[in-house]
Structure formats: structure tokens, C-alpha cells
Amino acid sequence: QVNLVESGGGLVEPGGSLRLSCELSGGTFRRYVVGWFRQTAGKEREFVAAIGRGSHTYYLDSVRGRFGISRDNAKSTVSLDMSSLKPEDTGVYYCAADQSLILSDYGRHTAYDHWGQGTRVTVSS
């Protein structure tokens, strides 16, 4: 059974940085496309970033240049480095993974089979 565990959320001031991590267990990590999504109350889950099996990366336009996604296959971990954070980046961030996802579907939350429990990020002064 695949299990995803996120860590690293918290409260940060505007302009600050955070690193989120997502560890996958119960599967062969290198076979999975991994994505990060975020959600705020009353809104649909929003794609933030994804990384393919070959480490190709994809970003929401509003985070490109501020966020960086990377993977460490030896540690079965994906990291999301967030900098120049803005209040509108606030939300619960979820890690998602799927081993059969085609890369054209990386932005669709319904395309991912496995999800973590989420970690909250609050950007506020």
C-alpha cells in the first residue's frame, strides 16, 4: 500500500521561504510522477508543481521562478522549495503520486491515485 507523508509546513512572513518534503513508502518511488497541490477553504484543489520520472518539472505560472521541485530517488522523497512567499500562497499543500499518469495530465488532481494528509502553509505578517 502506497503511503505519502508530507512535512515542512508552517507560518512564514511574506517574502520568506519554506521547504516541504514528501516521502513515499510502499512502492517503487522512481516509477511515480509526483505532484504538489494546494487548497484553501471553499476552493478547488490547485496544481502547484510536478516532477516526472525523468525529473522533468512543471509549475503553476504564478509560482514559476519562486518554487523549485526536486526528487531524490534514493530517499523516496520529493521536495518543494518555496521562496518569495506571498499571502496568496497560503493553503494546505498536498503531495500526490501516480505511477501510470501520463505527463500531459500532471496538472489534474483527479489523475493521481495516492495522496498525503496535507501540510498547512500560512504566509502572513
Side-chain angles (χ1 to χ4, degrees):
Q1 180 179 348
V2 174
N3 190 43
L4 297 170
V5 177
E6 303 102 331
S7 60
L11 172 65
V12 63
E13 292 186 350
S17 299
L18 277 177
R19 166 175 270 205
L20 305 184
S21 294
C22 171
E23 183 174 2
L24 184 149
S25 60
T28 304
F29 180 74
R30 66 178 185 277
R31 295 177 179 170
Y32 288 83
V33 175
V34 181
W36 284 96
F37 291 77
R38 65 189 179 193
Q39 191 166 24
T40 54
K43 292 189 177 181
E44 195 167 312
R45 199 162 290 191
E46 177 184 50
F47 168 77
V48 175
I51 186 163
R53 300 170 189 86
S55 296
H56 204 86
T57 57
Y58 307 87
Y59 296 98
L60 177 69
D61 284 346
S62 64
V63 308
R64 187 174 289 112
R66 300 189 296 121
F67 290 13
I69 188 171
S70 59
R71 66 189 298 155
D72 185 336
N73 287 344
K75 296 181 179 178
S76 299
T77 298
V78 166
S79 297
L80 183 68
D81 290 294
M82 307 185 294
S83 61
S84 302
L85 282 161
K86 304 176 181 180
E88 51 263 43
D89 294 318
T90 294
V92 178
Y93 281 69
Y94 296 90
C95 174
D98 196 280
Q99 66 173 345
S100 59
L101 183 143
I102 56 175
L103 288 179
S104 58
D105 286 339
Y106 65 83
R108 290 198 304 115
H109 64 85
T110 54
Y112 293 80
D113 277 346
H114 309 288
W115 290 84
Q117 81 287 353
T119 185
R120 183 171 297 276
V121 172
T122 303
V123 184
S124 175
S125 55

